[in-house]
Amino acid sequence: MEDFGVWVYAHLPADEYPATRAQVDQLGSVSQKALYDTAVEAVISAIERAAGGG
């Protein structure tokens, strides 16, 4: 069964979302763990900047 997120991306209007539609295959290959890791890294970086450490 096709991933729901990829299905949603694939059905966005191409004239309104050309970049997203062009990257549908790549978007489908992103894992939940990769998304989580990226979000955690972003939060840590923001905290470091706010504390003056980065």
Side-chain angles (χ1 to χ4, degrees), residues 2-33:
E2 186 176 7
D3 179 76
F4 181 72
V6 174
W7 183 88
V8 170
Y9 296 138
H11 288 84
L12 290 172
D15 58 330
E16 293 180 48
Y17 302 95
T20 301
R21 288 289 303 273
Q23 303 300 320
V24 167
D25 292 335
Q26 291 79 9
L27 290 168
S29 68
V30 177
S31 71
Q32 291 294 316
K33 179 157 178 14

Side-chain angles (χ1 to χ4, degrees), residues 30-46:
V30 177
S31 71
Q32 291 294 316
K33 179 157 178 14
L35 292 172
Y36 174 82
D37 290 346
T38 300
V40 169
E41 289 174 20
V43 169
I44 291 170
S45 294

